Amino acid sequence: MKILVTGGAGYIGSHTVVELLNAGHEVAVVDNLSNASVRSLDRVEEITGKKVHFYEVDIRDDVTLDEVFKNEQPEAVIHFAGLKAVGESVEIPMKYFDNNIGGTLTLLHVMKKAGCKNMVFSSSATVYGKPETVPIREDFPTSVTNPYGRTKLVIEDILKDLYKSDPSWNVILLRYFNPIGAHESGRIGEDPSGIPNNLLPYIAKVAVGKLEKVSVFGNDYDTPDGTGVRDYIHVVDLAKGHIKAIEKIEKEKHVGCKIYNLGTGTGYSVLDIIEAFGKACGKEIPYVIAGRREGDVDTVYADPSLAKEELGWSAEYDLSKMCADTWRWQSQNPDGYGE
Ligand code: NAD
Ligand code: WQD
């Protein structure tokens, strides 16, 4: 299929483009490079030996996006483009509403005009808020704890309403748990600008000597060792989930509007992760116990069985591979893409 990938130069996007190309799909990428380097796509081409058509375009720019659709005539869109920093979204919510929600609306108008009605959207486990029980199923109640999460929930609702109004759309909402890891070549990976907000990139920067020690945000949670438990998933497994979603649309033609959790179903604590990363890089990771981070919850992990049943997808890689691949990327590229 001919797929247009928004945000395809970013972390999850670049890994997904590799898997799409490996699976024989044709890919065009639209990215405004607000949180990515175009070098990621050079490396995608190096890994796959295939070409990616790249457009440095903001998805809010309807005129240029329209031209991209005319040029490429994609049959489906995988929509990653968006801002994702939870803390920043609390400080500057309008930036998130404008970019994430506004950008998606513009994209949907352009898709409709082009007659392209197949959409796979990057949603997040953040839409489950503070779950009452785990593992989390797709039919659990949704709620939000910050403006970033609100953008995901609003976009999910927009897509559901759009499908109701016109069932010729195919919409697959993928709710990711905690993506980590990197491509095993060590050529592409996560390259956050400034001090990382998320646990794995932070640990990786400590391991490579760029940061001093990890602050563990609370050890008084109701979990086995008191630290937060999450469902970490290898980014390549996550990327493969998108290929399965695209294949479902390709095969079935009318899939409706579907929601799938993409997680492993296993939870690990912050201390488990620090220990596993230490083993992968061969050094002890220094850490201190700090206070809780506002908005954090005790335990989040997925019930991924629906994705297994309906997409034929399940995660393959374990925590030691997630850490080993993150370390390979970080140690071979201590400055990320170097921009
Ligand atoms: P990322 O920042 O690496 O990728 C997002 C990409 O979108 C970047 O390349 C950025 O330059 C681009 N972009 C942002 N706004 C744009 C706009 N207006 N026009 C064009 N391009 C734009 O982030 P990621 O981790 O790869 O996340 C991809 C998607 O998955 C996001 O929608 C994110 O909210 C979602 N998600 C991420 C996580 C996670 O923990 N990484 C978890 C759940 C969901
Ligand atoms: C994981 C665990 C922290 C950093 C976030 C977003 C979520 C989704 C995925 C996009 C928690 C602890 C962290 C540190 C720590 N993104 N921690 N020290 O919060 O589960 O999810 O990314 O949709 O919306 O909120 O991920 O990696 O920030 O934290 O102790 O320096 O690590 O308290 O228990 P989180 P995370």
Side-chain angles (χ1 to χ4, degrees):
M1 250 179 152
K2 180 82 172 265
I3 319 285
L4 188 129
V5 181
T6 74
Y11 172 47
I12 306 170
S14 56
H15 288 81
T16 302
V17 173
V18 167
E19 298 307 319
L20 284 167
L21 293 170
N22 285 344
H25 298 288
E26 263 184 88
V27 179
V29 166
V30 167
D31 197 303
N32 67 356
L33 303 182
S34 60
N35 195 38
S37 163
V38 73
R39 289 183 192 161
S40 66
L41 294 176
D42 296 339
R43 294 190 180 185
V44 164
E45 292 185 344
E46 173 198 308
I47 291 168
T48 60
K50 293 183 178 164
K51 279 271 157 220
V52 178
H53 296 176
F54 173 61
Y55 298 86
E56 186 175 340
V57 171
D58 191 301
I59 55 165
R60 291 166 294 181
D61 173 357
D62 59 338
V63 175
T64 316
L65 199 56
D66 216 34
E67 281 165 22
V68 174
F69 271 77
K70 285 201 181 105
N71 229 3
E72 295 290 338
Q73 309 211 339
E75 296 161 83
V77 172
I78 305 182
H79 178 31
F80 294 105
L83 300 171
K84 62 166 182 178
V86 172
E88 187 190 52
S89 81
V90 176
E91 282 158 32
I92 326 174
M94 291 299 280
K95 181 175 171 186
Y96 279 68
F97 299 147
D98 180 50
N99 193 81
N100 294 6
I101 302 174
T104 302
L105 282 177
T106 304
L107 172 66
L108 291 172
H109 281 301
V110 172
M111 285 176 71
K112 188 169 179 220
K113 198 168 151 196
C116 173
K117 294 183 175 179
N118 296 320
M119 166 68 120
V120 176
F121 174 62
S122 298
S123 189
S124 167
T126 194
V127 301
Y128 295 114
K130 187 179 176 352
E132 277 185 14
T133 58
V134 284
I136 301 170
R137 285 197 322 267
E138 289 82 352
D139 58 2
F140 275 27
T142 52
S143 67
V144 294
T145 50
N146 56 68
Y148 165 73
R150 190 174 311 285
T151 68
K152 291 295 173 194
L153 212 46
V154 168
I155 295 167
E156 283 200 359
D157 286 342
I158 288 171
L159 289 167
K160 287 176 192 165
D161 285 345
L162 180 64
Y163 168 72
K164 263 186 234 154
S165 75
D166 176 0
S168 66
W169 280 83
N170 290 304
V171 175
I172 299 189
L173 309 174
L174 299 177
R175 292 177 176 163
Y176 315 153
F177 282 68
N178 289 55
I180 63 169
H183 191 264
E184 70 175 357
S185 62
R187 299 296 287 155
I188 56 172
E190 187 170 13
D191 182 19
S193 55
I195 295 177
N197 300 310
N198 299 113
L199 182 62
L200 252 291
Y202 201 104
I203 294 177
K205 287 218 186 289
V206 170
V208 84
K210 292 202 170 271
L211 292 169
E212 196 194 334
K213 55 181 180 293
V214 180
S215 295
V216 174
F217 297 148
N219 67 348
D220 56 353
Y221 284 105
D222 184 16
T223 62
D225 65 19
T227 67
V229 168
R230 297 289 182 275
D231 185 337
Y232 297 92
I233 173 166
H234 198 296
V235 65
V236 172
D237 273 331
L238 192 71
K240 288 177 180 166
H242 294 73
I243 314 307
K244 294 289 190 184
I246 286 292
E247 284 172 356
K248 185 177 175 73
I249 292 174
E250 197 174 13
K251 259 189 252 138
E252 296 177 16
K253 309 283 188 245
H254 296 287
V255 305
C257 179
K258 290 280 161 59
I259 304 178
Y260 300 108
N261 285 339
L262 296 185
T264 63
T266 303
Y268 288 105
S269 74
V270 177
L271 296 181
D272 290 336
I273 300 294
I274 290 176
E275 195 191 326
F277 203 91
K279 280 193 188 137
C281 71
K283 345 178 181 183
E284 223 167 90
I285 306 294
Y287 68 88
V288 288
I289 304 295
R292 289 184 177 199
R293 182 174 66 179
E294 208 188 313
D296 274 352
V297 301
D298 301 35
T299 302
V300 176
Y301 61 91
D303 177 343
S305 52
L306 192 64
K308 187 166 189 186
E309 268 163 46
E310 296 191 6
L311 294 178
W313 173 89
S314 54
E316 286 172 17
Y317 299 133
D318 65 10
L319 183 60
S320 67
K321 175 150 175 74
M322 298 184 215
C323 292
D325 288 344
T326 304
W327 176 238
R328 189 176 305 105
W329 155 253
Q330 184 68 68
S331 54
Q332 291 180 4
N333 307 269
D335 298 314
Y337 293 109
E339 280 171 318

